[in-house]
Amino acid sequence: MGRAASVIVSESRERRDPRRRRSPEPEMFGLQASGAAASWVVGRMGTDAHLYDDPDDASIPTLLDSRFDADKLDALKRLLALIAQGVDVAHLFPQVVKNVASQSLEVKKLVYLYLLHYAEKRQNEALLSINIFQKDLSDINPLVRAWALRTMAGIRLHVVAPLVLVAVKKCARDPSAYVRKCATYALCKLQDLLPEESTSLEETVDVLFSDNSPGVVGATAVAFNSVCPNCLPLISKHFQRLCETLPDIEEWAQILLIDIILRYVIARHGLVKESSIFASNLPLEGHGSGDSAPNGNETCGTTSTITLFRHYIEEYSGCFDTEGNVINCSSVTSSTNNDVALLLKCTSPLLWSRNSGVILAAASVHWIMAPVDQLNRVVGPILFTLRSSPDATYVMLGNILVFAKTAPQLFAPFYEDFFICTSDPYQTKALKLEILTTIATESSIPAIFEEFQDYISDPDRRFVADTVAAIALCAQKLPSITTTCLEGLLALVFHESYISNSAQFDGEAAVLVQAILSIKAIVRTNPASHEKVIVRLVRSLDKIKEPAARSLIIWIFGEYSSIGNLIPKITPAVLKYLAWSFAAEVLETKLQILNAAAKVIIHSPEEHLEEFKKIMAHVIKLATCDLNYDVRDRARFISRLLPYCTTCVNGNNSSCQSHNDDTFKELADHIFDGKMPSTFHSTSNYRIYLPGSLSQVVLHAAPGYAPLPKPQSMELIHKTMEPTRGVGNSSESINSDAESGSSTYDSGSVYSESEGGGSSDRNAAGSNKKENLEDPMACVYDASIDQGQTARDVEENFASLITTDLTELMSKSALETWLDEAPAEPVQASTQTSFARVSFTNRNFERKPKLHILLDPSNSNGLSVLYAFSSEVSPVSRLLVCVDVVFENVSTDQLVDITIKSEEASGSEDALDETSHGSASVPTIVLDKEIQLLAPQQTAKVVLQVHFHHHLLPLKLSVLCNGKRHPAKLHPDIAYFVRPLPMDLNAFLCKENQLRGMFEYARRCTFKDHLQKLEQIGDEHTDKNLMIAQSLAAKVLSNANFHLVSMDMPVTFSIDDASGLCWRFSSEILSTSNPCLITIVAEGHISEPLELAAKVNSEDTAFGLNLLNRVVAIIE
Amino acid sequence: MLQCIFLLSDSGEVMVEKQMTAHRVDRAICGWFWDYVLAHAAGDASKVVVSPTHYLFQVYRNGVTFLACTQVEMPPLMAIEFLSRVADVLTDYLGDLHEDIIKDNFVLVYQILDEMMDNGYPLTTEPNILKEMIAPPNIVSKMLNVVTGKSSNIGNKLPDATASFVPWRTTVVKDASNEVYVNIVEELDACVNRPWESNQILSFVPPDGQFELMSYRVKKLKTTPIYVKPQLTSDSGNCRVNVMVGIKNDPGKPIDSITVQFQLPPLIASADLTANYGTVDILADQTCFWTIGQIPKDKAPSLSGNLRLEEGLTHLHTFPTFEVKFKIMGVALSGLQIDKLEIRNTPHAPYKGFRAQTQAGSLALINGNNPCGHVDDFKRMTDGPLALSSATMADGPLAAAVVSPTAVVTCNNGSGTGEVELSYPIIESVLNPLHGPHVEHHASKRNHRVNTKRSKVGVGNMRRLRP
């Protein structure tokens, strides 16, 4: 490739205009180039290029409706291209959603991509896809299941969130690890949609942590971080296994899991006493006692470890004494602690990961927890990443800087790693310079200086200025090199002044100014020993034209005019020169000349005083006539402050002035001789954040940043997984616990404690079922007869659905089992259990429907409208729900022409209407009569039949009365979207067996109503179980349109044990006539709130789940 | 978690927008970002940018900017590494990475992004699995697309490897040939000092296809193969430039693709540079490219010319940095050699091949006074296409998924071989996943890195050779 190739290079680099890109002019290229262009065309052939270029050149809606997958694909790709180009194509949502049912995986995938992009905007339409997701969730192909779950959770609809939760729980038991992993990720998506379900989410996290696939465990770390980041107690029982699995999980999850287990160990065991935080010998000249180089200490900007850790642990202030220097030693542990050792051991190999994020996370653990003598093992890997992952360099260097400031000796031998390449971006260069400055030692400084000398000829002037500043910092830190530095800097000043004089260009002066600033900083540490430098600098004043540089030199001259032997000798000459040049100077220099002159006068020896006074008077005279306000002001200020120099000019020595002389002199001394505070302390004021965090890079606390938990702040909660948000400040018991030291909690005890808790209650409850013949109303039957057997199976199966013990589900052949959920084989030989069936029917319970307010009389001229759902079945259509509406006139006037109209457009074009089959003809509301006249205090009852379109949004109505319109909202109650479906127990159990697996949903809840009644009836001789059975049935039946199939009571020894109480209700959905079976099983002691497990079996899964939630709400 | 990923072209045009979470990010952020980039000189834009609404992470490859947004705390390296992984995967899929190829394959890019990340967290990043889920474009599928208008690149079943403990190794590989190649690609870069931790034997389960086996560093390399002698003398507004390039230590193989590149100093009014060999180009951003190719036998290539300084300036006060690029096939400069490659757990001996290559990473001459500046070394070893026939692998008592072929590479650097072996105990791990020595496993995973022993490679500080 000769000439032509290089032209192409430059061409491709100069391409700026996106339009030009598409039209390469062939004549520009030679033969080879057109060959390349030809191959480029070939390369585009068969790709989707034309779709990206012209996504609009076909009718997308037509293509979407096509029967052929190829057309659909084409349309979807065009949509994707439009999305990519930022065009809003949300209006096609309904047409796209229809294709979600496509059999082609590629169509499906593209539909999902589209759905996820727009679902939140088009919530109602997105609902249409839910049933397909439900279907896909039980697809034989794990990829389809995973996609369905990902998308279903990803569209984030509040309405379907409970459904997703159930799907997640189901998929958490999927035989495919990939699906389980996606289930874990879905947990994160649910977390903010279902805040009330956080316990349930945490339980699922808990289960998934014990998964045997490392991929799933890794994903669970992600879920843990977003669902319950503070639930560190949850980690305790998994800790060991997590550590063992850590090297095997995916790199991304490793980053998060490392952080989680680090927090856990700190919260449980505290910090390590051998770690760098407690090591007195670790850093720093600044903290060593009796240091021989006192003037270098405070300036090098190092950070003490204690300050560092105070930053890491927000709530740690209690552990420091008043000076903040001593750490309360009771909350520390030792590196021999099993958990700490395991933590360090399992993170060590990760230091050699290929992912720099993992390396940094592992290094952070060592940085915080490892004994000092092992700390150096992190250095190599960290430095390696600087080369191997160039993109990570910037972040890595920012973290190295913090490490190096705390423990410079750690990185000192590796100074060569921080030498700067020209190709480094500016920020990398700046960070490397700062690190070099921090870790420079007496032995390495010669090499570093050689390096610095090269940097000074760098074309990037900003970087050169930084280098010059770094030289000053090094010189202040290492006094042995100050002379060399000053020589170099002086040479630079002369060189630069020459350049900036010869050509005035932007930024050129910065180096010169910085060089003088650096000299100033070095001189400040010991001015007397550097007086020659000052003299040389002042002498160069005439050559330097740059105002900022001149001002600086004048300041140095003024400040040190009386120091040493040489400077006072040149002072008169310099002062004269300044006075001579005053008129020609710019503002800032004039001000500095005034200041310098004042300082000279104050410190001047007697023999020169008169001379100086004359010069001063001249300067002040010039200044008071200056055009600039500030200069005149400064002149007036100085002439008042130093009256003795102006008096000599004015000649009239007034008595009051001489009287004030001493006061003024003292004042002037303070003003011009005030010691400047050290400028270097400001560096230690900025916040330090945890290594590897975003906050550390951006230097402010990013939202969601969490400092380390307070050491040993964790309370060991095993049985109840309460959300312990804010572990750090919640526990007061730490301090007392801490006294006993860490040895009392050895890791073994945690596991044993945690395992016992969960299941023991249930076992105890189960084994207590024995005969009880006391109840006269119950007929006793044996469990070994058919129904009993089935019933027990049902119950067991039910329990397995709710309990989260998954171990046996993970076998290889689990797929089929999982998909159709065949009843589990009874594991144990049947224990003799008997039930008493209580014969009640619906008639035994009086229905007390709850009245809701439709219209408040205060808003409607005295018309009060109440409504209650009725159990009547609509004679018009099965899609209509009957509502009893009661009108009452509470005003004193008559009300006329009362009627109710639907606000929603009748026969609307709403997409929902079209799809809910056959519903188009059904009106939204049917009112059986209108009320012509309603006298005061009169009531009238009307039956309203409502078509809720099978969704749970409130229906907007308007009540018309006296010709006025009053808006109202009718809130649907899903419990009345069904009608009782009478059946006997056998039919019920049979139907229930058909509706297993994906058609079955279960939830837990508690029932407390009976406690109140128990109090009322006191200790009378009534059957408390029966009372509970009745009160729950009554409650359900008066709030839901169900048929009570059966009520079983366990026959047990302990009459106070309500475990095993079982209610069965049946119903069918109004719109589809699909049966809905509800089973409720109780557990617990009758004198306490009962744990109920409610279950719904229905073909219409979305409906079933919502109904289940409603039933639970009714019970609670 | 990353809320959104944008792919921007060289002109700041948004090519692809992929929302990752429900918290949508408006693409207006790209406009803000581009203004930020333009406000900062080349290379100065930070990897982590704080915008008024989001934290931005960027990775730049071949004119394509990968931009990710988040609003909450997350490990920044996770974001950056992920973006680079996306870039790597796309490069791997498309064969190259530039603006046009992204646009031409935007559907594929979307599909890949969707598989690689879920809800803002990385999901599947193993190229091996991704390729089974989403087939890379190939000439057959393209032709099929042209002729019949349909071709699906979506795999219709879940790759088995998703369940594997060795996710990078496909469980059942069937291939016509059975070959293992080991390529040594060395880059000269900056140098670091670290001890060689093991005894130079690598054991790993190779994936199917190309992958990076390890990277290693050699400190204090003795010398560089070529020299560059730049001379700049400036006087009364003129700067005379003369750059000579020649072979310093003949590596025994031809040195290819030599280019010298430097930034013209600022304050230059005009430049007139010619070379007696190769071509010289000065780009708009004041970069001078001198493409040499191979150094001819008969003459020493030299570049000379004159720079006219800006008015008022008589001398040049900065010295440009010369960057040298070259490639040597067949030689690893460090002297690292592959002793042997042993394949276990597979009945058929594959064809094995080795190849070494050295290329300049960042080889820069900082100062004309130091004719051999920055000579650093950074090497990377990759091995080539690796396909192991598994036709008979399912015969044994264990399933094919359990016995993965294990390759053992023994390296030496010219003067002897070490002994410790890091064998990956696959069988143990799968049969008894909870009690396997997990910590030890990792050491031999494929992403393992080892350093060469420094005492064997060179002596003395060669960073700067002074005359």
Side-chain angles (χ1 to χ4, degrees), chain A residues 6 16 52 84 109 117 141 150 156 185 244 248 251 352 356 422 425 427 462 498 694-695 700 703, chain B residues 11 15 22 24 27 43-44 46 55 73 81 85 99 114-115 122-123 145 153 156 194 281 314 321 438:
Chain A
S6 59
R16 286 281 165 227
Y52 195 93
K109 182 83 202 173
H117 197 83
N141 185 346
R150 282 178 60 191
R156 298 176 53 85
Y185 275 40
E244 282 166 357
D248 280 335
E251 48 201 316
W352 295 105
S356 61
T422 347
Q427 285 174 335
R462 185 163 53 139
Y498 157 73
L694 176 61
S695 304
H700 64 252
Chain B
S11 54
M15 295 189 290
R24 296 172 59 86
R27 61 164 64 198
D44 268 13
S46 171
Y55 301 101
E73 169 71 52
E81 284 279 347
R85 191 68 55 84
E99 193 181 330
D114 194 58
E115 279 310 325
L123 180 66
N145 196 3
N153 61 343
N156 57 2
R194 269 196 356 93
D281 289 284
T314 53
T321 305
H438 284 260

Side-chain angles (χ1 to χ4, degrees), chain B residues 358-405:
Chain B
T358 300
Q359 61 194 47
S362 133
L363 184 67
L365 293 169
I366 283 196
N367 199 314
N369 301 327
N370 306 314
C372 179
H374 267 244
V375 176
D376 313 320
D377 193 315
F378 168 55
K379 289 176 284 179
R380 185 171 289 144
M381 190 159 105
T382 31
D383 78 352
L386 188 127
L388 296 164
S389 157
S390 59
T392 56
M393 262 170 35
D395 291 352
L398 294 157
V402 178
V403 187
S404 298

Side-chain angles (χ1 to χ4, degrees), chain A residues 184-198:
Chain A
T184 317
Y185 275 40
L187 276 179
C188 313
K189 303 177 192 170
L190 282 179
Q191 175 254 337
D192 54 333
L193 283 181
L194 286 174
E196 72 277 10
E197 291 282 358
S198 60

Side-chain angles (χ1 to χ4, degrees), chain A residues 789-1074:
Chain A
Q789 182 71 45
T790 328
R792 199 169 48 81
D793 282 355
V794 167
E795 198 191 329
E796 270 180 19
N797 203 29
F798 192 8
S800 80
L801 185 71
I802 292 168
T803 56
T804 40
D805 183 33
L806 306 178
T807 43
E808 76 271 27
L809 286 163
M810 294 303 154
S811 68
K812 269 200 163 178
S813 61
L815 176 61
E816 288 76 19
T817 330
W818 184 81
L819 285 176
D820 51 17
E821 296 267 340
E825 297 287 319
V827 183
Q828 298 163 316
S830 58
T831 48
Q832 287 294 315
T833 317
S834 298
F835 288 90
R837 176 155 314 136
V838 191
S839 40
F840 280 117
T841 62
N842 281 23
R843 282 184 296 280
N844 295 63
F845 298 98
E846 192 193 343
R847 287 175 186 259
K848 293 178 208 153
K850 203 178 162 199
L851 284 170
H852 309 274
I853 296 171
L854 187 66
L855 201 61
D856 194 74
S858 55
N859 302 332
S860 58
N861 304 338
L863 178 69
S864 154
V865 187
L866 300 174
Y867 68 95
F869 287 91
S870 93
S871 50
E872 300 288 319
V873 174
S874 159
V876 180
S877 159
R878 60 191 170 86
L879 295 173
L880 296 178
V881 177
C882 291
V883 183
D884 292 334
V885 184
V886 180
F887 295 92
E888 187 180 4
N889 187 350
V890 294
S891 72
T892 50
D893 304 321
Q894 282 189 345
L895 299 172
V896 290
D897 292 336
I898 303 170
T899 186
I900 298 180
K901 287 233 168 74
S902 166
E903 278 287 278
E904 326 218 320
S906 53
S908 69
E909 301 89 322
D910 193 349
L912 278 167
D913 269 16
E914 293 165 24
T915 51
S916 47
H917 41 89
S919 65
S921 58
V922 179
T924 308
I925 59 169
V926 177
L927 199 61
D928 63 346
K929 60 181 178 198
E930 290 186 7
I931 298 165
Q932 307 297 338
L933 185 112
L934 201 62
Q937 309 311 322
Q938 192 188 353
T939 41
K941 191 178 157 193
V942 172
V943 176
L944 180 70
Q945 297 172 45
V946 189
H947 181 205
F948 280 110
H949 297 288
H950 205 132
H951 60 73
L952 293 173
L953 301 174
L955 188 69
K956 285 186 192 139
L957 298 176
S958 52
V959 180
L960 297 171
C961 166
N962 286 352
K964 279 188 186 156
R965 208 185 126 263
H966 306 288
K969 273 186 186 171
L970 184 64
H971 292 272
D973 185 344
I974 194 172
Y976 287 91
F977 286 14
V978 292
R979 63 169 160 250
L981 178 67
M983 55 166 72
D984 64 5
L985 184 61
N986 275 339
F988 182 96
L989 294 173
C990 195
K991 192 82 205 163
E992 187 184 20
N993 261 335
Q994 293 169 6
L995 294 173
R996 281 284 164 75
M998 59 174 286
F999 303 123
E1000 183 169 89
Y1001 294 116
R1003 267 191 71 179
R1004 284 193 176 279
C1005 59
T1006 51
F1007 183 62
K1008 298 196 197 77
D1009 284 14
H1010 62 286
L1011 297 177
Q1012 221 177 346
K1013 287 194 181 155
L1014 280 174
E1015 260 174 36
Q1016 286 167 10
I1017 58 174
D1019 211 13
E1020 280 174 58
H1021 197 73
T1022 51
D1023 188 308
K1024 291 168 186 162
N1025 271 339
L1026 189 64
M1027 189 275 297
I1028 292 172
Q1030 282 172 320
S1031 59
L1032 186 122
K1035 194 167 184 185
V1036 171
L1037 287 177
S1038 45
N1039 287 293
N1041 207 5
F1042 293 160
H1043 168 75
L1044 177 62
V1045 178
S1046 75
M1047 232 158 68
D1048 287 350
M1049 296 202 313
V1051 183
T1052 62
F1053 261 146
S1054 153
I1055 51 166
D1056 286 342
D1057 189 356
S1059 301
L1061 258 177
C1062 176
W1063 298 261
R1064 293 190 181 86
F1065 303 95
S1066 63
S1067 61
E1068 70 178 349
I1069 303 171
L1070 283 177
S1071 55
T1072 59
S1073 303
N1074 281 335

Side-chain angles (χ1 to χ4, degrees), chain A residues 75-264:
Chain A
L76 288 165
K77 286 179 175 178
R78 285 171 195 279
L79 286 176
L80 208 56
L82 288 166
I83 291 176
Q85 288 160 19
V87 182
D88 189 348
V89 285
H91 60 280
L92 291 169
F93 202 94
Q95 278 111 307
V96 177
V97 169
K98 274 191 300 191
N99 290 308
V100 79
S102 166
Q103 287 304 306
S104 154
L105 282 186
E106 196 166 16
V107 171
K108 217 181 243 301
K109 182 83 202 173
L110 294 181
V111 171
Y112 285 168
L113 280 170
Y114 177 93
L115 264 184
L116 284 177
H117 197 83
Y118 285 118
E120 244 192 345
K121 273 190 188 168
R122 316 276 292 189
Q123 297 234 352
N124 272 345
E125 285 104 321
L127 275 174
L128 294 174
S129 55
I130 298 301
N131 275 336
I132 303 292
F133 289 139
Q134 291 278 4
K135 191 169 136 277
D136 280 359
L137 276 176
S138 42
D139 197 283
I140 193 95
N141 185 346
L143 199 58
V144 174
R145 295 202 295 271
W147 281 355
L149 182 67
R150 282 178 60 191
T151 315
M152 190 170 157
I155 56 177
R156 298 176 53 85
L157 300 177
H158 278 274
V159 196
V160 291
L163 213 61
V164 178
L165 180 61
V166 171
V168 166
K169 286 182 175 168
K170 194 183 287 268
C171 288
R173 302 177 293 141
D174 197 282
S176 157
Y178 183 72
V179 178
R180 296 204 296 277
K181 194 172 160 187
C182 292
T184 317
Y185 275 40
L187 276 179
C188 313
K189 303 177 192 170
L190 282 179
Q191 175 254 337
D192 54 333
L193 283 181
L194 286 174
E196 72 277 10
E197 291 282 358
S198 60
T199 335
S200 170
L201 295 179
E202 280 163 34
E203 278 165 11
T204 318
V205 168
D206 190 22
V207 169
L208 286 162
F209 258 139
S210 27
D211 199 286
N212 64 1
S213 158
V216 179
V217 174
T220 313
V222 174
F224 179 87
N225 256 5
S226 53
V227 171
C228 49
N230 292 316
C231 282
L232 292 172
L234 186 82
I235 302 294
S236 67
K237 67 176 162 184
H238 301 291
F239 177 73
Q240 190 163 1
R241 218 179 73 85
L242 287 179
C243 286
E244 282 166 357
T245 325
L246 184 63
D248 280 335
I249 69 177
E250 280 166 7
E251 48 201 316
W252 318 105
Q254 279 173 349
I255 301 176
L256 299 176
L257 189 55
I258 289 172
D259 182 59
I260 293 172
I261 58 178
L262 169 68
R263 284 168 193 274
Y264 165 76

